[in-house]
Amino acid sequence: MCGICGFTGANKRTDSTETLKAMCDIMAHRGPDGEGQYIDGNIALGHRRLSLIDLAGGNQPMVRSTGQHEATITSPARQLDGTPCGSEEDMLATGDFAIVFNGEIYNYRDLRAELEADGWMFRTNSDTEVLLTSYLAWGKDSLTRLRGMFAFAIWNRAAGELFCARDYFGIKPFYYTQQQGQFIFASEIKCILEHPAYERQLNEEALAQYLCFQFSALDETFFKGIFKLPQGHCLTVRANGEVEVERWWHPTYNFDESRSEADTVEAIHEAMRESVRYHNVADVEVGSFLSSGIDSSYMAALLAKENPDIHTFTVGFAEYEGERDEISWASELADELHIANDRKHITEEEYWASLPRVQWHMDEPSADPSAVALYFVDQIAAKKVKAVLSGEGADEFFGGYRVYETPCANARLSWCPKPLLRAGAAVLGKLGIRGANYLRRASESVEDWYYTNANGVAFSQAERAKLLKHLPEGLPTPQQVVAKAYSEVANMDETTRMQYVDTQFWLVGDILLKTDKMAMAHSLESRVPFLDTQVFGVSATIPTRLKVSNEQSKLTLRQAAERAIPQAWAQKQKLGFPVPVVGWLRQDTYYNQVKEWFTGPEAQQFFNTDELVRLLDEHKAGTRDNTRKIWIIFMFLMWYRIYFVDRTVPEKVVA
């Protein structure tokens, strides 16, 4: 786990060196163990290192002096005290290829053995060298051989080309922009902001879509002209400056309707056991998060079989202390498994004090209240380990969200004419009687109403139009934003279509973004065994009837988990991570604090502030729960002030 950055149009003058240094320094939290810079002709590459594999020999940028098998590997990297990792000549090393890489290749030993059998030579024991050599041996085809998480850039000196790629599911971030004839990239947007060629400008379309999605849903970020390389994509920067973006992988489904429930459970368990073994590969200790949910419980139990001395980490909220909360469930399971568990109750003062720092680390506004919980659990984990396992991806692969059960429920009304269902929904809605949404959804196709897990908690299009002072012309609807993803799985059942859309938007735009940014805020690597190509390969063959029903989610995953954890944990209903923001926003202290933001200069610049205050007052009065909508606006305003008004780094909160 590291941070990478770089730009074309470089030279060996002081200004390029200083710019690259500034880009590296602003993301020092991503790699406190070392830094490296490489400037050669047209390219500048920078790297911050968090050492987990080949602690002595895996420094970056890594340069290969020749594309031939008898290659010399050098690394123009320095330790933090300024001492070169190699010779002084290495600092200006030139070679045919140079790489900066963020992530982990878990099957690097397997790939290395294959490459050595073909005659390739290695000088280190690092996965970085294996990644670079794989690209030299197999070109773009190397990407589908990789098992891991990655974002990297490889410079081809002879061709004057830069090749960049992002992993299958978008676990690791990769941002880029083209400014004044230069291609600039980095692991974090804040690095690109350090480059003098970029001038900050808000992307108002991103703001408009954020109100409906609660996260940055477009390829173009909140910063005009700065883009995210989508998951499963690569790009090539040609010598003439032309940029070609190409999709190298996307999820596909091939259900095996003949597979029995027992065989499915066995296949899931074997795939997860193997994935956890691969994700435990490191030259440092790997710990695990542990919550009340099935995903982290199952994963931690599998890791404990590999390493009985593991540390696990849990957070909850002081408001729930003494109740049946995250910590009580986790501590009981830790005792059951005989593993260590470090835990912390987050106070409301700590939560609110951390918000500016969290938004700064996120780069773009994030309205997910659980990001703060991740900030603190990562903080306590970083005191004991350098890497942890986390349970992201299980819901999208195995049908974990309760909303995925909706098509099953709707099927019970398939006999009823659609116009009658719509009429019933309208009547119930006007009367304020529950069930209006159920009837409306049953009368529509999933493409009409579902565009991610933000449905029902974020703003509708009509609400968005009332809120914004300026609505961008030709703004696509949320349904239009996700339409291409739906078209790619048009032949699948409705639940699978929902899962696919979530892997393309919710998973990468919300879940994985906060996972990466909150872990790296504390120089911690977060590994996600569910988001493994082999695990996905199994999940993609499981028919929907073995994933969800009218009453339960993750049907066969829960049965597989029972092989490692008690039934009470494996069959526990999904609750999400409870954050007590609902009550806080009804207290005078926090109500007044948010109201000050909602009537402040930033709010007046973008929003109809009367609407904002109405949302807040309605929530405080208890007539409606507007928590998520309030949080969407509040986090944007805080983020905007940090990045566009104050332009300063908020203080770090240490609990």
Side-chain angles (χ1 to χ4, degrees), residues 290 324 326-338 341 343 566 569:
L290 184 59
R324 192 66 166 139
E326 293 288 314
I327 287 181
S328 68
W329 278 95
S331 60
E332 285 181 26
L333 183 59
D335 290 343
E336 181 92 14
L337 299 175
H338 306 292
N341 179 245
R343 42 196 177 263
W569 276 263

Side-chain angles (χ1 to χ4, degrees), residues 443-462:
S443 73
E444 300 173 335
S445 70
V446 69
E447 287 85 350
D448 294 327
W449 65 269
Y450 188 77
Y451 50 88
T452 69
N453 269 282
N455 289 60
V457 297
F459 293 99
S460 68
Q461 294 175 69

Side-chain angles (χ1 to χ4, degrees), residues 528-576:
V528 283
F530 282 102
L531 289 173
D532 174 79
T533 53
Q534 300 302 310
V535 173
F536 174 76
V538 170
S539 74
T541 68
I542 302 173
T544 299
R545 61 181 172 80
L546 295 178
K547 292 178 182 176
V548 298
S549 69
N550 288 333
E551 295 82 24
Q552 186 61 286
S553 61
K554 297 179 183 168
L555 295 173
T556 44
L557 178 65
R558 291 177 186 278
Q559 293 180 53
E562 285 187 31
R563 300 187 175 198
I565 59 176
Q567 186 181 54
W569 276 263
Q571 297 298 333
K572 182 176 176 290
Q573 287 290 341
K574 183 176 180 63
L575 299 175

Side-chain angles (χ1 to χ4, degrees), residues 504-539:
Q504 303 302 297
F505 288 91
W506 177 260
L507 178 64
V508 67
D510 184 292
I511 304 298
L512 291 177
L513 189 69
K514 69 182 180 184
T515 299
D516 173 82
K517 298 295 177 65
M518 294 300 92
M520 294 284 26
H522 304 290
S523 307
L524 179 75
E525 175 169 286
S526 189
R527 298 180 170 188
V528 283
F530 282 102
L531 289 173
D532 174 79
T533 53
Q534 300 302 310
V535 173
F536 174 76
V538 170
S539 74

